[in-house]
Amino acid sequence: MDSISRLKKNTLDRGLSAYFNKNDEIVKESINQLYKFYTEDNDSAILAKIYQYKAMYHDLKYQIDSSFYFYNQSMNISKLTNDSLEVGRRLLSITILQREAKDFLGSEISSIEALQYLEPIKSYRYLQNVYSNLGLVSGEIKQKEDALKYFDLSLKANRLNKNSKRKERGYLHTINNIGLIHQQGSEHEKAIEYFNKGLKYDSIKQKYPDLYALLLENLTYSGIALGRKNFAEDHYNEVIQIREKEKEFSDLSITHVLLSEFYIEEKSPSKARFHANEALKYAKQTHNNKRWLEALKLLSDLSTGNQSKAYLNEYITLNDSLLQQERQLKNQFAKIRYETDKKEKENEALKIENEKTLAEAEAQKQRATIGLLLSGISIMFLLSSISFFRFRRKKLLFLTQLQKIEAREEERRQIAKSLHDEVAGDLRLLHRKLEKSLLLEEAQKLEMVKDNVRNLSHQLSSVSFEEVPFRDQVINLVSDYFSPEFIIKVNGLKEIDWSQANNSIKRMLYLSLRECIQNCQKYAEASKMTISFSIHKKSVLLDVVDNGKGFDTATQKKGIGLLNLQERVQELNGTLTIESEVGKGTHIIIQTPLNA
């Protein structure tokens, strides 16, 4: 393995470890490093990892819809590269998000799709997790027999796992889940049998303290249900000590809820109140909504007068908000999957159409060649025919490319409109409700989500020259960036009849100009920029000059912005020239056909 490959692996390992340790800053650093790798070699596998780590970052920020979106983006790239393992892994992450958002049908569908990718390659490590998730979903919808069947499949897959540590953890998790299914059915003796089976596992307390605490907590709950309360208080306190040490704050909210309920039965209201308050604290800290509601209900029951009423009102408001949020998340998940499927179908349709176009052009070329061989009467005629067919093939390919670009731009407009009109609007309503409920911290975080959605909407939104002419779009763009410290001069814009230019050409020029202005303002430290438009024969020229600090084009690699700019120009048979020297500013020239 060369040094670059080792560096990539170290970056991936560091980011993954940070995710499990809930360190979002390290995950963000890993994303930035992966971007650098991607700009160097355009490796699709690295781009898939970038989207995966973005999903993990948003998961740590409790931005579930964004996490779901980026997992889907990562999965789609892995599908294109036929990487079944990565597709299966991303689907597994998606199923967990859907289950946690109570989108049980969606989680079941995604799990079955994951099996289709993981079973043929016999990836037992992840198959065990997928079957386990199906068991948990079946348990949530009260399908006990299906749940037990899936957990049995999970255990069978786990036995074939060659990683001993993951094999042990997988076994203990599944044993606990089987116990929970019996516990939910009030079969507490049967449940205790499985919990004890896990607790008797070799050195579990030393090797896996988090799983030991989980099994002990569930054992204690079933024991209390059967009237066995002798060691309940000691067991719960032991669980709290372990989880505080392991920093399992979300799970701590569960234990404190159970202890509060225990002390209510034991007629110890002061202790019950203490643990209900602790449960509320940890639930808010970790956004454990289920325990948050349970803690509020307990505090309402344990309080009197206005205090009890305040807790009850907070419970009702939060419950209504969470129900609406769950519905919105399910809708968001459905929209993202719909847009993903739609994009795949459109891409496939474009691919088929391109193949037809190329086949037709090739057939025409072959007919021309046969005609050349059969008729030696008119060499000039045949040569002219060949030129004609080549020209037509080039034109067909260019038109196909324009159609592809228009399809992509339409997709961007639809997604941006959905984000701006529906998602941002829904988030705004939810933000107001949270403010009215005095959940200011959550309202502030939701405001950040709303801003992120709005920014993403603006980034995705495509300019339209049907409603606002190209000339006015450019003037508005320049006005947005013009300032006394950054003077922008435009030449030749009004002298050109832009109605002759294809919309895709105008859109490329507009986006390229915006990229140039943003780069100039962000990196070049320029105080002046001159933009010139001109027509040369059947081509339009965009000439951009700034007086910034410049750079050495021979040594400095292009960033992702310039790479996107170059790809956008070349996509329409244009050319991009960049001239720059350190201390002497930058000169960018874009030449592209005026129309198709």
Side-chain angles (χ1 to χ4, degrees):
M1 183 183 293
D2 57 37
S3 59
I4 296 297
S5 297
R6 282 198 299 271
L7 186 56
K8 288 180 181 178
K9 185 178 185 305
N10 290 340
T11 301
L12 291 170
D13 290 344
R14 184 167 180 257
L16 194 61
S17 177
Y19 171 70
F20 287 118
N21 290 322
K22 297 180 174 56
N23 189 330
D24 56 280
E25 288 301 319
I26 299 296
V27 175
K28 192 174 183 179
E29 290 176 11
S30 300
I31 294 170
N32 293 333
Q33 184 62 48
L34 289 172
Y35 264 121
K36 293 178 181 178
F37 293 141
Y38 178 67
T39 56
E40 292 170 358
D41 53 23
N42 282 336
D43 185 354
S44 297
I46 291 297
L47 181 60
K49 286 296 181 184
I50 290 172
Y51 285 131
Q52 176 196 345
Y53 280 46
K54 276 192 169 186
M56 288 156 45
Y57 175 79
H58 286 289
D59 188 22
L60 292 177
K61 293 290 187 180
Y62 304 104
Q63 297 164 351
I64 305 303
D65 52 345
S66 295
S67 180
F68 183 85
Y69 170 79
F70 284 115
Y71 274 135
N72 270 280
Q73 293 294 95
S74 177
M75 176 189 67
N76 290 336
I77 294 173
S78 297
K79 281 184 177 180
L80 292 173
T81 58
N82 296 317
D83 191 337
S84 295
L85 178 60
E86 287 299 297
V87 174
R89 291 172 67 183
R90 294 301 80 76
L91 280 166
L92 174 60
S93 299
I94 288 169
T95 64
I96 294 171
L97 286 180
Q98 290 172 309
R99 175 168 55 81
E100 290 176 348
K102 297 186 178 180
D103 181 11
F104 300 127
L105 177 59
S107 182
E108 187 175 26
I109 293 171
S110 297
S111 296
I112 292 170
E113 186 180 355
L115 293 177
Q116 294 171 356
Y117 284 93
L118 296 173
E119 285 181 336
I121 61 174
K122 299 180 180 179
S123 177
Y124 299 113
R125 168 179 168 185
Y126 296 106
L127 281 171
Q128 180 259 322
N129 292 327
V130 175
Y131 284 127
S132 184
N133 184 76
L134 280 167
L136 291 171
V137 169
S138 297
E140 291 284 357
I141 58 178
K142 310 302 180 186
Q143 300 291 332
K144 176 186 172 184
E145 296 305 319
D146 286 344
L148 293 175
K149 179 188 71 175
Y150 284 126
F151 286 136
D152 184 57
L153 290 171
S154 177
L155 288 174
K156 289 178 180 178
N158 189 63
R159 283 195 286 270
L160 297 170
N161 191 349
K162 295 181 180 179
N163 185 309
S164 59
K165 184 176 181 180
R166 292 183 181 277
K167 185 175 183 177
E168 289 179 337
R169 291 188 64 87
Y171 169 77
L172 291 170
H173 267 298
T174 306
I175 288 297
N176 177 72
N177 289 336
I178 294 173
L180 284 177
I181 292 297
H182 291 294
Q183 187 182 82
Q184 291 168 5
S186 297
E187 299 172 339
H188 292 289
E189 290 287 2
K190 192 71 175 177
I192 287 173
E193 178 184 331
Y194 280 95
F195 297 140
N196 274 324
K197 190 175 182 179
L199 289 169
K200 291 175 182 177
Y201 196 83
D202 181 39
S203 304
I204 179 176
K205 187 174 181 179
Q206 290 72 36
K207 292 197 296 187
Y208 311 114
D210 58 326
L211 293 175
Y212 171 82
L214 180 65
L215 288 158
L216 182 60
E217 180 179 76
N218 290 329
L219 173 76
T220 306
Y221 181 86
S222 285
I224 293 173
L226 294 172
R228 304 168 190 171
K229 303 180 180 181
N230 293 344
F231 301 101
E233 190 173 6
D234 292 339
H235 286 170
Y236 278 143
N237 285 325
E238 184 181 1
V239 171
I240 287 175
Q241 290 175 3
I242 293 172
R243 286 179 171 168
E244 286 177 345
K245 183 179 179 181
E246 298 294 318
K247 298 181 179 180
E248 297 288 340
F249 300 124
S250 180
D251 291 337
L252 270 171
S253 64
I254 301 172
T255 313
H256 282 293
V257 163
L258 294 176
L259 258 173
S260 179
E261 292 173 346
F262 171 76
Y263 283 123
I264 289 174
E265 289 187 11
E266 295 298 300
K267 312 299 183 187
S268 298
S270 60
K271 290 183 178 181
R273 262 192 305 273
F274 170 79
H275 288 288
N277 276 304
E278 287 294 289
L280 183 62
K281 177 182 72 175
Y282 287 118
K284 285 184 176 181
Q285 179 181 335
T286 59
H287 292 256
N288 190 331
N289 297 327
K290 181 178 180 181
R291 306 307 169 183
W292 191 340
L293 287 171
E294 289 176 352
L296 287 173
K297 185 65 171 63
L298 286 169
L299 287 168
S300 175
D301 293 340
L302 290 165
S303 306
T304 56
N306 290 333
Q307 185 65 60
S308 176
K309 185 178 179 181
Y311 281 126
L312 184 58
N313 286 335
E314 186 178 351
Y315 171 88
I316 294 170
T317 302
L318 178 61
N319 188 51
D320 291 342
S321 173
L322 291 176
L323 287 173
Q324 184 179 357
Q325 185 180 7
E326 285 174 9
R327 286 194 295 270
Q328 289 172 342
L329 276 176
K330 290 177 185 178
N331 290 336
Q332 278 296 98
F333 291 168
K335 285 180 183 178
I336 291 170
R337 289 306 296 268
Y338 170 76
E339 293 295 341
T340 298
D341 294 342
K342 179 182 174 184
K343 183 177 179 181
E344 287 180 359
K345 291 177 182 177
E346 289 177 349
N347 288 341
E348 185 64 28
L350 283 172
K351 181 180 177 182
I352 294 171
E353 187 63 30
N354 283 338
E355 289 174 350
K356 288 181 179 179
T357 304
L358 289 171
E360 176 63 22
E362 190 62 31
Q364 291 175 351
K365 183 178 178 181
Q366 289 173 358
R367 286 194 292 270
T369 303
I370 294 171
L372 178 64
L373 294 172
L374 294 176
S375 76
I377 300 173
S378 180
I379 297 175
M380 290 296 297
F381 174 77
L382 291 173
L383 290 175
S384 298
S385 297
I386 292 172
S387 298
F388 169 77
F389 286 125
R390 285 181 176 172
F391 170 78
R392 183 174 178 181
R393 179 175 180 268
K394 183 177 179 181
K395 184 174 181 179
L396 285 171
L397 288 172
F398 189 76
L399 287 172
T400 301
Q401 187 68 15
L402 287 178
Q403 291 172 359
K404 181 178 178 182
I405 292 169
E406 287 295 333
R408 186 172 64 243
E409 290 300 323
E410 179 60 25
E411 179 184 2
R412 285 173 177 263
R413 279 194 291 269
Q414 292 300 323
I415 294 175
K417 186 176 185 302
S418 178
L419 286 172
H420 185 276
D421 296 348
E422 299 177 26
V423 180
D426 292 343
L427 288 174
R428 194 178 300 113
L429 290 174
L430 184 56
H431 174 264
R432 289 175 182 172
K433 286 190 176 183
L434 289 174
E435 281 188 330
K436 290 180 180 179
S437 304
L438 299 179
L439 300 176
L440 301 181
E441 180 181 353
E442 287 70 21
Q444 185 177 5
K445 291 180 179 178
L446 193 62
E447 181 70 11
M448 293 172 63
V449 174
K450 184 183 74 178
D451 290 340
N452 289 337
V453 169
R454 186 180 292 110
N455 291 337
L456 179 58
S457 170
H458 292 322
Q459 291 172 18
L460 285 174
S461 62
S462 177
V463 289
S464 171
F465 304 106
E466 306 298 335
E467 299 176 359
V468 181
F470 175 78
R471 185 182 302 166
D472 295 338
Q473 293 274 24
V474 173
I475 292 172
N476 291 338
L477 175 65
V478 171
S479 300
D480 288 341
Y481 289 89
F482 186 95
S483 70
E485 294 77 28
F486 186 50
I487 297 173
I488 305 175
K489 183 178 180 181
V490 183
N491 299 320
L493 178 65
K494 297 182 179 180
E495 285 73 30
I496 297 174
D497 181 6
W498 291 105
S499 64
Q500 299 179 39
N502 184 282
N503 277 344
S504 295
I505 301 293
K506 289 187 283 190
R507 187 178 294 110
M508 181 276 289
L509 290 172
Y510 176 89
L511 295 176
S512 300
L513 181 57
R514 185 174 68 184
E515 183 69 33
C516 291
I517 295 174
Q518 289 175 344
N519 286 344
C520 179
Q521 190 181 58
K522 188 174 182 180
Y523 303 110
E525 299 177 4
S527 61
K528 183 178 179 181
M529 169 182 274
T530 302
I531 301 166
S532 301
F533 292 93
S534 61
I535 297 292
H536 180 68
K537 294 183 179 180
K538 294 184 178 181
S539 297
V540 59
L541 275 72
L542 170 60
D543 194 294
V544 182
V545 181
D546 69 59
N547 66 345
K549 62 184 181 181
F551 61 94
D552 187 351
T553 57
T555 59
Q556 182 165 328
K557 295 183 178 179
K558 294 179 182 177
I560 191 167
L562 288 179
L563 287 174
N564 288 339
L565 175 59
Q566 185 174 42
E567 180 181 355
R568 191 180 293 123
V569 173
Q570 291 176 346
E571 206 172 33
L572 290 172
N573 295 338
T575 59
L576 170 68
T577 305
I578 301 176
E579 301 171 355
S580 185
E581 291 182 35
V582 177
K584 295 186 179 181
T586 301
H587 185 190
I588 296 177
I589 304 170
I590 295 174
Q591 181 173 352
T592 185
L594 183 60
N595 54 48

